[in-house]
Amino acid sequence: MKINAPVHKNETLSGTVIDLTYQGMGVVKVDNFPIFITNTLPGEEIEFKITKVARSFAYGRMMTLITKSPDRVPERDRQYTQTGIAPLQHLAYSAQLKFKQHQIAELLQKAHLDIDVSETMGMETPYHYRNKAQIPVRMVNGKLETGFYKRGSHDLVPIEDFYIQDPKIDEAILVVRDLLRHYHIEPYNEETNRGTVKNVMVRRGYYSHEMMIVFVTRAKKIPMHDQIVEAIVEKLPEVKSIVQNINPEKTNVLMGKENKTLWGSDTIEDQLLGLTFTISPLSFYQVNPQQTERLYQAAIDQAGLTGNETVIDAYCGIGTISLAVAQHAKQVYGVEVVADAITDAKLNAMKNHIENVEFVTDKAEKQMKKWQADGLKPDVIIVDPPRKGLAPEFIEAASEMKPDKVVYVSCNPATLVRDIQLFQERGYQVAQPIQPVDQFPQTTHVESITVLNRQ
Ligand code: SAH
């Protein structure tokens, strides 16, 4: 491939960083050609070396920081950027919140949408927040290690302090690592597709302090598992559930379909907004419990419920939003594609003595058509889709049901802006500022709530 770039590999240049990408990389332009450089911030003058040149952009590595941004804070640990655990660790938290607000505003502007964005709702303590960890187990220099992959690779960097996780989870990972070492359990080797343990997943209830440990294995059997389980239970009294998840395929999908409870309960419980939730190994559960409560509360407030409304909660997971909303509405319908999650959702409704909810397993876009055919007339539709956003058929069916409001919880501003435009074509308008809520401090993820009103 012949590349007509104004820069060359290994060349050293200097310039001013003009922007920060949605992945948290600084941007320097040479003849309008963008160069992406990690650990640099807008306004900083830097000397950098070109490390890779592609057709329409290049990557560089900072060599010297000539002038520093006032928003720069010391890096905690270079490995957090290298592995992508905390790619914004060098940016002051207040500036991270502005960065996220700005991300949404910029995408709206590019789409010529005149919609305001409020200040991002941040956390008081913006680290140690994650209630879940999914940690690869590999052999590094002849030793079993737990850590994180270097960005863009599958090279494991051993890490003990994960910074953004509940420290009790970090502690549990070390206990498990040491036991796997002690019993000479063979870690997974991706190249040969051999070895026993691929990953360890740990979840800890923020309020309940109940802990679940899941061994994701290639093999059907974990040698010495009785001894390992016994030692875990003795060393980690919060553990309520130890599960083996069998994932024999050579795949990037982290968890397999088959779960085997090795000890204790099949599930753990935690609370959100005073409600109790049962969580299965494979169910989606928001990873930042403190901010999730604020996110849900803001969504409920913005939905403007009086107790008389019919509400659809699409992409409902284990029913967390549905059940929180049910207390403020007449009737709630939840839909979700993962059957296990719906089993949990139904159980959660019973557990909390909530009777005005109905849950269905299906693709949201399909179920909306069915509800529409049944003549269901929701007053409010709440959506919380994955990163790819809503299917066009979903938006079509949703607007044909003519709800007064659509409350859109988004984890990806790009698809949010796309979907706002589709709703606008069907007679919906955004009347109040979009509210970003920081669910993932130190990372570039942007979560927000948008309310669309029928005109
Ligand atoms: N509202 C829940 C879950 C949000 S995550 C909570 O806050 O906990 C998004 C959910 O959408 C996941 O549970 C995922 O399984 C589900 N999902 C993904 N694609 C879907 C589709 N096409 N139809 C229905 N649900 C889907």
Side-chain angles (χ1 to χ4, degrees):
M1 184 177 69
K2 180 104 177 68
I3 298 173
N4 240 337
V7 297
H8 309 285
K9 192 172 166 168
N10 290 329
E11 183 180 9
T12 302
L13 296 160
S14 58
T16 304
V17 180
I18 55 163
D19 203 0
L20 196 58
T21 68
Y22 73 96
Q23 289 165 317
M25 295 176 116
V27 185
V28 175
K29 281 194 174 170
V30 172
D31 294 343
N32 234 0
F33 187 86
I35 300 141
F36 303 118
I37 307 159
T38 47
N39 189 19
T40 63
L41 295 173
E44 291 186 335
E45 250 180 277
I46 57 167
E47 195 176 74
F48 59 98
K49 191 169 176 169
I50 303 290
T51 53
K52 191 178 171 181
V53 184
R55 194 175 286 278
S56 56
F57 63 91
Y59 288 113
R61 188 183 327 118
M62 180 169 66
M63 309 303 286
T64 323
L65 183 54
I66 301 164
T67 45
K68 221 175 159 168
S69 159
D71 292 330
R72 179 175 279 280
V73 292
E75 279 184 295
R76 293 217 155 210
D77 186 332
R78 173 54 53 87
Q79 289 183 332
Y80 297 148
T81 307
Q82 258 176 7
T83 53
I85 287 176
L88 294 183
Q89 60 167 329
H90 57 297
L91 185 60
Y93 189 55
S94 58
Q96 290 183 23
L97 298 177
K98 286 211 182 84
F99 165 72
K100 294 185 183 192
Q101 177 188 13
H102 183 69
Q103 284 267 318
I104 305 175
E106 206 173 41
L107 286 162
L108 289 167
Q109 211 176 13
K110 272 193 194 148
H112 307 288
L113 294 176
D114 184 20
I115 299 169
D116 289 336
V117 185
S118 300
E119 279 180 26
T120 309
M121 224 185 259
M123 279 187 99
E124 225 159 278
T125 311
Y127 44 87
H128 291 169
Y129 57 85
R130 279 188 70 101
N131 60 5
K132 174 185 170 181
Q134 220 147 7
I135 305 298
V137 181
R138 295 289 181 274
M139 197 68 99
V140 180
N141 297 329
K143 210 168 180 189
L144 182 145
E145 298 282 3
T146 44
F148 230 72
Y149 298 130
K150 218 182 211 171
R151 267 210 270 194
S153 86
H154 274 198
D155 300 336
L156 190 92
V157 179
I159 287 171
E160 297 194 344
D161 171 358
F162 288 83
Y163 180 40
I164 60 169
Q165 284 167 196
D166 182 335
K168 289 276 189 189
I169 292 181
D170 289 0
E171 193 185 306
I173 290 162
L174 293 186
V175 167
V176 170
R177 179 199 67 185
D178 291 347
L179 284 166
L180 293 176
R181 281 180 182 169
H182 179 81
Y183 286 103
H184 303 287
I185 305 302
E186 203 189 331
Y188 183 59
N189 180 324
E190 268 176 290
E191 270 152 38
T192 60
N193 194 30
R194 296 196 56 90
T196 305
V197 178
K198 289 178 154 179
N199 285 274
V200 176
M201 195 259 262
V202 182
R203 258 181 177 148
R204 179 175 187 260
Y206 177 74
Y207 291 104
S208 70
H209 298 176
E210 291 187 6
M211 204 181 264
M212 170 184 276
I213 294 183
V214 182
F215 290 99
V216 183
T217 66
R218 184 193 66 84
K220 283 247 182 272
K221 272 219 161 89
I222 308 175
M224 313 297 285
H225 63 81
D226 286 340
Q227 286 86 338
I228 293 172
V229 161
E230 200 179 315
I232 290 177
V233 174
E234 194 198 298
K235 288 187 171 103
L236 298 169
E238 291 186 343
V239 170
K240 288 283 171 307
S241 166
I242 304 178
V243 175
Q244 180 184 354
N245 173 273
I246 303 164
N247 187 9
E249 312 300 331
K250 196 174 171 173
T251 160
N252 275 333
V253 178
L254 283 174
M255 310 257 287
K257 290 202 175 79
E258 191 184 343
N259 287 321
K260 208 160 76 181
T261 301
L262 300 177
W263 183 87
S265 166
D266 299 341
T267 56
I268 55 166
E269 281 188 352
D270 198 21
Q271 282 83 42
L272 274 176
L273 296 174
L275 297 165
T276 299
F277 293 97
T278 294
I279 309 158
S280 298
L282 295 179
S283 298
F284 175 91
Y285 188 69
Q286 299 277 357
V287 296
N288 185 335
Q290 298 166 70
Q291 288 298 90
T292 296
E293 290 195 327
R294 305 183 71 193
L295 178 79
Y296 287 179
Q297 193 57 57
I300 292 167
D301 293 347
Q302 298 209 1
L305 302 173
T306 63
N308 293 320
E309 292 81 5
T310 300
V311 180
I312 289 177
D313 175 20
Y315 309 86
C316 68
I318 61 169
T320 43
I321 295 180
S322 315
L323 298 181
V325 163
Q327 302 170 305
H328 307 274
K330 190 167 84 193
Q331 179 69 31
V332 180
Y333 298 87
V335 58
E336 155 68 44
V337 73
V338 174
D340 273 4
I342 289 295
T343 306
D344 287 352
K346 288 179 178 167
L347 204 74
N348 289 329
M350 281 203 296
K351 194 169 268 180
N352 292 289
H353 311 289
I354 294 175
E355 286 171 359
N356 56 336
V357 290
E358 213 178 288
F359 290 108
V360 186
T361 307
D362 205 343
K363 283 196 168 172
E365 52 273 34
K366 279 202 186 150
Q367 185 57 35
M368 288 297 280
K369 293 258 187 236
K370 285 187 205 158
W371 275 329
Q372 196 191 351
D374 292 348
L376 183 68
K377 297 234 178 310
D379 301 289
V380 178
I381 297 178
I382 301 175
V383 298
D384 185 6
R387 290 184 57 77
K388 69 169 188 252
L390 301 172
E393 314 90 82
F394 181 97
I395 297 176
E396 190 185 310
S399 16
E400 278 171 16
M401 287 166 129
K402 297 194 167 45
D404 295 332
K405 277 184 188 188
V406 176
V407 179
Y408 194 139
V409 181
S410 157
C411 60
N412 182 352
T415 52
L416 169 69
V417 169
R418 180 199 68 197
D419 293 344
I420 288 176
Q421 288 173 295
L422 293 176
F423 272 113
Q424 284 189 336
E425 286 167 17
R426 294 178 171 276
Y428 283 82
Q429 292 298 339
V430 179
Q432 60 208 80
I434 293 176
Q435 177 64 64
V437 180
D438 193 17
Q439 294 281 88
F440 309 99
Q442 317 304 333
T443 81
T444 54
H445 294 288
V446 183
E447 186 100 9
S448 63
I449 305 169
T450 302
V451 181
L452 291 135
N453 290 302
R454 197 158 83 88
Q455 293 304 293

